[in-house]
Amino acid sequence: MNMTIGFRICNRPNVAPKALVEAFAQLPVANVSDAMSRVFAAGPSLRPMHASGSMAGVALTVRARPGDNLMLHKAIDMAQPGDVIVVDAGGDLTNALMGELMLAYAVKRGVAGFVLNGAIRDVDAFVATNLPTFAAGVTHRGPYKDGPGEINVPISLGGMVIAPGDIVLGDADGVLAVPLADAEDILKRTQAKQDAETRQMQAIAEGKNDRSWVDAALKKLGCEMPETA
């Protein structure tokens, strides 16, 4: 049977293994981003709406009509423990995609977090519950429930493609998706980056931090400097 493009629910064929997700959960999003050449991001408008803490989980993707949460409701019904529900709703802030009732149900389902390219409401509930939630804004106006939309299809947030089953990370610096096919290599690169930063922090604390690279870079670029600089 042919499915209607724009109004369909698909299977999620590949899912990141739990151990891999847990390994990424120990690392700062900024360092993962560095290991991915600093060119991927879900956009600076997606900010934490919870009190504190980081997020790591498996992407359950939703493409929604702006201001409509019918497919988001279905995604919460489908979610497995540890899933992060990622919604492309076009960044529209006119109507909230979810509030405290859906949040409470998502907690009960074991959802690991939300990334919403749209708005929420009942902000105090998100702060109090502290389920990692990243959204583009807040409005008291509620959503519609008419569709259309899609679940478990590739979506894009701020130019960053997120496929169902990818690893989704978030902390105070923002949101990042790690492609499942490249996740193990990215993890190794990130761990190496983290180890290097740990050594550098120790050198700073001991007063042994090598800053010679700054002048070397300036000279290489042809910067004119006084001899005493």
Side-chain angles (χ1 to χ4, degrees), residues 156-175:
S156 174
L157 302 183
M160 181 180 71
V161 175
I162 304 172
D166 283 351
I167 298 172
V168 183
L169 308 173
D171 62 19
D173 287 334
V175 174

Side-chain angles (χ1 to χ4, degrees), residues 52-205:
S52 63
S54 60
M55 175 185 73
V58 178
L60 174 58
T61 61
V62 180
R63 178 179 289 119
R65 181 171 67 86
D68 190 288
N69 73 355
L70 177 61
M71 298 306 267
L72 176 54
H73 272 282
K74 180 59 178 177
I76 298 174
D77 286 341
M78 295 171 57
Q80 299 297 311
D83 282 350
V84 171
I85 299 178
V86 187
V87 183
D88 175 13
D92 182 79
L93 305 181
T94 307
N95 299 82
L97 296 175
M98 63 179 291
E100 63 178 334
L101 294 177
M102 294 175 71
L103 177 64
Y105 178 50
V107 171
K108 190 72 172 178
R109 293 284 302 166
V111 172
F114 286 94
V115 179
L116 308 168
N117 193 14
I120 64 166
R121 65 178 182 178
D122 303 326
V123 175
D124 288 346
F126 283 86
V127 174
T129 303
N130 204 31
L131 180 72
T133 301
F134 297 79
V138 177
T139 179
H140 56 78
R141 294 175 61 174
Y144 299 99
K145 296 174 173 60
D146 304 308
E150 298 179 306
I151 296 176
N152 282 331
V153 296
I155 61 174
S156 174
L157 302 183
M160 181 180 71
V161 175
I162 304 172
D166 283 351
I167 298 172
V168 183
L169 308 173
D171 62 19
D173 287 334
V175 174
L176 178 65
V178 179
L180 179 56
D182 302 313
E184 291 189 3
D185 180 60
I186 293 169
L187 177 62
K188 292 177 183 177
R189 293 173 182 270
T190 306
Q191 289 170 333
K193 169 74 173 177
Q194 184 77 1
D195 291 344
E197 287 199 356
T198 299
R199 292 191 296 270
Q200 188 174 359
M201 287 292 288
Q202 183 176 353
I204 291 172

